Amino acid sequence: MARIVMKFGGTSMAGIERIRRVAQIVKRQADAGHEVAVIVSAMAGDTDRLVNFCREASSLYDPAEYDVVVASGEQVTSGLLAITLQSLGARARSWLGWQMPIRTVNAHSKARIEAIDADHLKASMKSGEIAIIPGFQGISQDGRITTLGRGGSDTSAVAVAAAVKADRCDIYTDVDGVYTTDPRIVTRARKLKTVTFEEMLELASVGAKVLQTRSVGLAMKENVPIQVLSSFNGDDAPCADDLPGTMIVSESEMEKHDMERQLITGIAHDKNECKVTLTRVPDKPGAVANIFEPLAEAAINVDMIVQNVGREKGETDVTFTTPASDLDRTMQVLEEAKDKIGFNRILSDTNVAKVSVVGVGMKSHAGVASTMFKSLAERGVNILAITTSEIKVSVLIEADYTELALRVLHTAYGLDAEETV
């Protein structure tokens, strides 16, 4: 019998009927003899509603009181799930973040977990009691409630799984696994049986919305296997053990599961990008540092960077990308530093998208980038910027070509599922 941590997102908890479905899924695992802990998100839309209340109360709200408000959504669903399980004859109780406790740093609304005191929780699970834990929250060193940032329930689940030394962490969402690309765009996308932590971390960071990036990084650090599943199967659906989704595992574990692996694991896209260009920047040492230092101090993330060949007059253009949500702050920071940087104009473009191919197979195979560039060129898709890592190649293109690029690349790398007759 296994020790399993199960996590259910906001769409899975959106209303009593869906909570009853979740309770049935959880009870099946407990009835199978497993030790079970459950992490829950707030009902879909509730966190946004609570955030808006804070903004309406004051545009300069206290982050500590903000955490008190937004953490209440998960408290409601944890209690409701415990009540529903009890009505089905299961032993269940809720454990709030401060009761375990889940200890975090004193950074309200963006806290990071430092430690979890899991002795009482493990004893409760061993006795056959189902533990229900609100995700997204913890307690600071000074005893105040904290939250982990949007999507933090995934991180809560992985952290609890590591603390109780769970055999795996099952994350239930509105999709039944990790696909080679977005199946809503590419109908021949395939569900993957296994993905490495490293690949999932890259996919999450470049636009795949299945898992929060922080949770994957933590799972890789603590070596916690994750399984991605759907909570929207039929009422008679079997346990997760009988209907697996996608397993996220270490690279060594991957070799046991899938020796004949594809060169490319998946293709992700992100339309939440903007391109910023500074014209006529002095082409001299320190000029680029003058651009990116103030952006770093403002906590603005920069991804792709392109510096053109210097002009005859000792000037160059510098282009980079940043999240579209940070565009206004980026423009403000750069304007304030204009005299120090010495640029002429700032140009911005939000009609762009980042498309990325990811696969551990890149480490030992050449030609991945050239296949990408050639395939896009043949369909008239212009590349505006490029960035790479050991297992990823990303390109920036015009947003209007995003869906075409996904379909073309999915076919070019041999990822299309076979057509069924």
Side-chain angles (χ1 to χ4, degrees):
M1 297 298 103
R3 177 175 289 171
I4 302 171
V5 172
M6 309 169 72
K7 182 263 176 178
F8 293 89
T11 53
S12 301
M13 303 298 293
I16 294 299
E17 286 306 314
R18 289 190 178 178
I19 289 175
R20 286 198 182 99
R21 182 186 292 271
V22 166
Q24 294 284 358
I25 295 171
V26 172
K27 188 174 184 295
R28 281 199 290 269
Q29 290 287 27
D31 288 346
H34 300 309
E35 296 178 18
V36 179
V38 184
I39 306 329
V40 295
S41 296
M43 293 185 187
D46 267 15
T47 301
D48 288 337
R49 181 174 61 87
L50 295 170
V51 169
N52 287 333
F53 282 154
C54 292
R55 290 172 176 164
E56 288 175 12
S58 172
S59 59
L60 298 174
Y61 52 74
D62 178 357
E65 300 303 340
Y66 166 92
D67 279 354
V68 172
V69 175
V70 298
S72 64
E74 282 75 11
Q75 180 171 321
V76 170
T77 49
S78 60
L80 288 174
L81 181 57
I83 290 170
T84 306
L85 281 164
Q86 290 167 4
S87 73
L88 297 175
R91 292 178 55 214
R93 66 152 289 186
S94 62
W95 294 77
L96 302 186
W98 59 269
Q99 291 174 313
M100 296 181 56
I102 298 174
R103 303 189 183 279
T104 73
V105 298
N106 290 346
H108 289 285
S109 79
K110 52 185 176 182
R112 291 188 173 272
I113 297 173
E114 288 188 320
I116 297 178
D117 299 338
D119 290 343
H120 293 302
L121 178 62
K122 286 190 285 187
S124 172
M125 293 171 66
K126 194 171 183 178
S127 73
E129 187 174 69
I130 300 170
I132 316 297
I133 303 159
F136 177 59
Q137 67 172 247
I139 185 170
S140 65
Q141 296 164 354
D142 59 1
R144 299 295 301 272
I145 195 166
T146 57
T147 62
L148 310 182
R150 300 305 295 266
S153 292
D154 284 352
T155 300
S156 298
V158 173
V160 169
V164 302
K165 295 180 169 52
D167 293 281
R168 71 170 189 265
C169 178
D170 289 345
I171 295 186
Y172 287 79
T173 69
D174 52 1
V175 296
D176 61 350
V178 179
Y179 281 74
T180 48
T181 194
D182 189 337
R184 294 168 298 183
I185 297 175
V186 181
T187 57
R188 297 181 69 182
R190 294 182 292 107
K191 186 172 75 172
L192 298 164
K193 292 181 180 179
T194 48
V195 177
T196 67
F197 290 129
E198 194 175 5
E199 289 169 328
M200 194 65 237
L201 194 60
E202 288 282 19
L203 286 168
S205 69
V206 295
K209 302 296 192 295
V210 179
L211 294 173
Q212 187 205 41
T213 305
R214 279 172 59 189
S215 70
V216 181
L218 180 59
M220 182 164 62
K221 174 177 174 287
E222 300 292 340
N223 197 26
V224 176
I226 298 176
Q227 185 172 206
V228 179
L229 304 140
S230 173
S231 60
F232 293 95
N233 294 314
D235 293 334
D236 297 327
C239 288
D241 303 300
D242 304 315
L243 188 67
T246 299
M247 290 295 302
I248 318 296
V249 297
S250 65
E251 193 167 348
S252 59
E253 187 68 21
M254 170 70 88
E255 293 174 359
K256 301 177 188 177
H257 286 274
D258 192 359
M259 295 183 68
E260 295 293 330
R261 299 184 57 207
Q262 293 269 1
L263 172 62
I264 297 301
T265 297
I267 304 172
H269 73 286
D270 188 359
K271 290 186 176 181
N272 182 36
E273 294 282 321
C274 65
K275 181 177 65 140
V276 177
T277 299
L278 300 184
T279 66
R280 299 179 61 183
V281 176
D283 188 16
K284 63 181 182 180
V288 173
N290 290 336
I291 297 171
F292 296 110
E293 280 180 2
L295 293 175
E297 290 172 0
I300 296 172
N301 292 324
V302 172
D303 185 11
M304 302 175 170
I305 302 174
V306 178
Q307 181 171 345
N308 296 334
V309 176
R311 303 183 183 188
E312 293 181 3
K313 296 181 180 180
E315 297 174 337
T316 184
D317 294 343
V318 177
T319 298
F320 61 90
T321 63
T322 191
S325 56
D326 286 336
L327 177 58
D328 290 343
R329 284 199 305 140
T330 298
M331 302 289 275
Q332 180 183 357
V333 168
L334 292 175
E335 285 290 356
E336 290 173 352
K338 183 173 183 178
D339 291 343
K340 184 176 182 180
I341 299 170
F343 63 86
N344 181 34
R345 288 194 302 158
I346 305 179
L347 306 175
S348 65
D349 183 3
T350 57
N351 187 37
V352 295
K354 179 168 63 180
V355 175
S356 308
V357 296
V358 176
V360 169
M362 291 187 199
K363 291 181 179 180
S364 54
H365 292 78
V368 173
S370 63
T371 297
M372 186 181 201
F373 304 154
K374 181 181 178 182
S375 300
L376 294 176
E378 288 175 348
R379 299 303 296 270
V381 180
N382 188 38
I383 296 173
L384 307 175
I386 303 167
T387 187
T388 66
S389 74
E390 194 175 24
I391 66 166
K392 175 198 73 180
V393 180
S394 296
V395 295
L396 192 72
I397 62 174
E398 291 181 27
D400 295 341
Y401 290 98
T402 305
E403 295 186 3
L404 173 63
L406 288 178
R407 295 189 183 99
V408 166
L409 294 175
H410 201 266
T411 299
Y413 290 110
L415 297 176
D416 290 349
E418 294 182 5
E419 291 189 67
T420 56
V421 179

